[in-house]
Amino acid sequence: MEQQHIQAKLVELLRSDGIALWSSPYTTGDSGAGRQHMKELAEKYAAVVGLPLVDVETALENVRSQAVSKGKGNKMFSETQVATLDVFLPAKLTKVGRKRNLATKLDVTTQNLKDMICEKCGVKHIKLIFNGKTLISDKRLDEQNVKHNSKLMVVKESEPEERRDVAEVEKKARMDEESLQRTQKGFQILSERDGSEDPTTTPFLEIADQKGNPLEIPDGEKKALMLAMGFHEKGRALMKRKDYDAALSHLLQADEQFGKCGSTLLNTVDNYAVLQLDIVWCYRALEALSYLQDSKQRLCKAEKCFQRCYGEQQERLMKIKGSAGGEEVLFLRLYLLQSLQAYLEGHADEAKRKLTKVEDLYQRLCVDQEKMTQVMALGYSEQDARLGLRTCHGDVEAAVRHISQRKEEKEDLKKREQRKRRRRIEGINTLVELGFSKDKASQALKKAGGDVDRAYEVTAHLVVLNCFNTRPSLQMAYLGFNREMVEAALRLSDWEVTLATQLLLDNQGTLPTDLLSPSPPSSMSEEPSTSSESTASGSSDADLVDEVLQDIPQHEEDYLDLTLEEESDLIAQIKSFLEKTHAQSS
């Protein structure tokens, strides 16, 4: 990181002075360094930045050689349309230079490029990240906006162990890819459920606000948001296991799904801001923060989103939750990443300013272990104790009251939801008994706000209004009545739809036995079920749902429960770099 900091400072000076290192006298005709002029320039800048001459000389030569290489690449591209791509390799996959320049046409597929990287760099089973998105293997590079001089990040799909069988390695790589697909399928199944089934046998997810109250969201946005949150939770679970490569893949999928949600929705939930922080935190863990162009943009998005959701001074958060103590860990991580970003860009003063804010938050958020023990002695978990003490700024008694109150509120909310779902299921069963299909009953009850009588009236009117355009038996059955009852009613009314409909309504969808015709129902009433139950109840779907539910934390504030161990290490690292820079410039 120190070299990146020095180079960033020197690049600013070079731009300010209008010096082109790739030109004479700093670069000779054979692309070598003009040693005397480079030495004089290094001496000049060493005095300006207050750094050792040897460090400045090394950094200047790196900047010069990169500029010369880029110039050659530009010339090659203009003459042959062969582009140069900057490829950044994971530390675990290379023992020498992590940055590689690869020449390629842009009309080749991502898979072609991956094969080239694997061959030239000696790596296997990789993904490519460009501008915060995973490149699609079977699409061309230019179709995905990859251009000459674009920067790509290599992410490993699996980490082969020594002496591991090749077949096992390939199997693991397939499993990593399948994990994304299984996560998406599992949450797709959950997003299509409306809570009409018994939640004890058919799990059902609902999106709620900070207090746990369900949010009313349009179906299209709800599905995208649920997929986004699902991928995010899976990514967070992988982050906890320090599997940052796999975590990043899931987080980028979450980002893609969030992009399908309306801006109004994104402005009212903090999930999107937290996701941006998590993505950049993965960049940091993979030592690619300074390499990826969208790191700074993501941090800016996160900060603006927090301000919209919480208020400029967290006033909205205070109004909703009564305290901003828990959410302060998010701002600590935001300012810490901004400090690191500023340092890597050569802005030591800005990095120091941000780090001061971080250290102030860190002092407030570090929980006293003795107080933790006191709270846990009362039967609360470590997570409850840490979150409670942070929310109440270290006050043990207040923390205990807060935890107890939150648990009571959560239990009350749970009971209300259980009663609500029980009433919903009873309402659906009532409508089914009146002759409506389960799907139609569920939809009608939702539109009627849970009022069974109103749901019945709405659906009954739909039957009368919509049964004139297609074959009567099919149309009426699709709108809720039992198919056999429809056939019998139509026969009794000489196929007069209005009379048949009224007959069914008068008898609540089920004709008495003395009116029923003894003839068997027509074959056209026999249709395969199109209900999602046939697929959702399959063992494979149940397995997928169970799998994704395992990654959803039980505590609604799990995303705020940071131990701050990694943050502490990074604070010490940045502080050390800044102190060293200050000492050298004094």
Side-chain angles (χ1 to χ4, degrees), residues 39-283:
K39 183 175 179 60
E40 292 173 358
L41 188 62
E43 289 171 348
K44 173 185 173 183
Y45 284 164
V48 174
V49 298
L51 295 171
L53 177 60
V54 64
D55 291 344
V56 174
E57 285 180 321
T58 301
L60 272 178
E61 176 54 27
N62 286 338
V63 173
R64 190 199 69 80
S65 60
Q66 290 170 14
V68 170
S69 178
K70 187 173 182 178
K72 291 179 179 179
N74 291 341
K75 182 180 180 182
M76 179 174 65
F77 182 68
S78 65
E79 295 175 351
T80 66
Q81 291 301 297
V82 174
T84 299
L85 303 178
D86 293 343
V87 178
F88 188 77
L89 298 171
K92 294 180 180 179
L93 297 185
T94 179
K95 294 181 180 179
V96 294
R98 298 180 62 188
K99 295 182 181 181
R100 306 288 177 86
N101 292 332
L102 291 182
T104 179
K105 291 275 191 178
L106 296 176
D107 57 1
V108 302
T109 66
T110 300
Q111 187 59 52
N112 293 144
L113 179 60
K114 287 163 68 174
D115 292 341
M116 183 192 304
I117 293 171
C118 289
E119 180 182 350
K120 292 192 174 184
C121 302
V123 297
K124 292 182 179 180
H125 311 297
I126 61 172
K127 288 184 178 182
L128 297 178
I129 308 297
F130 171 62
N131 277 350
K133 293 186 178 180
T134 302
L135 293 180
I136 301 170
S137 292
D138 58 359
K139 289 190 68 173
R140 288 175 19 166
L141 298 177
D142 51 7
E143 292 174 341
Q144 301 176 80
N145 293 320
V146 178
K147 304 180 186 303
H148 173 56
N149 287 330
S150 287
K151 296 182 177 181
L152 308 180
M153 177 183 174
V154 175
V155 175
K156 66 182 181 62
E157 288 187 315
S158 64
E159 184 180 359
E161 299 173 1
E162 291 185 10
R163 300 179 183 176
R164 201 171 178 186
D165 185 78
V166 174
E168 284 187 47
V169 174
E170 293 178 349
K171 181 180 178 181
K172 176 64 167 59
R174 288 194 300 271
M175 288 174 63
D176 289 344
E177 182 63 30
E178 287 172 6
S179 173
L180 284 169
Q181 297 172 3
R182 292 175 69 83
T183 299
Q184 178 161 348
K185 179 62 177 174
F187 280 102
Q188 279 178 338
I189 294 169
L190 286 167
S191 70
E192 291 167 0
R193 293 180 178 174
D194 60 4
S196 59
E197 302 286 348
D198 183 352
T200 60
T201 58
T202 308
F204 166 66
L205 290 182
E206 202 157 36
I207 299 173
D209 61 17
Q210 287 102 328
K211 279 284 190 179
N213 300 306
L215 294 174
E216 288 296 326
I217 302 172
D219 287 341
E221 284 192 293
K222 181 179 179 181
K223 288 184 178 181
L225 182 58
M226 193 168 287
L227 277 173
M229 294 171 70
F231 275 119
H232 191 182
E233 291 298 346
K234 180 68 175 181
R236 289 184 62 249
L238 291 165
M239 287 175 70
K240 289 180 180 179
R241 298 196 286 269
K242 310 297 187 204
D243 190 353
Y244 291 107
D245 295 287
L248 182 58
S249 296
H250 285 80
L251 296 177
L252 292 176
Q253 285 291 325
D255 191 55
E256 185 176 329
Q257 292 298 326
F258 267 120
K260 299 177 183 178
C261 300
S263 58
T264 302
L265 178 61
L266 294 184
N267 288 340
T268 58
V269 295
D270 63 0
N271 304 70
Y272 186 62
V274 176
L275 174 65
Q276 303 310 308
L277 282 186
D278 287 340
I279 289 174
V280 180
W281 193 257
C282 282
Y283 289 166

Side-chain angles (χ1 to χ4, degrees), residues 219 519 534:
D219 287 341
S519 60
S534 60

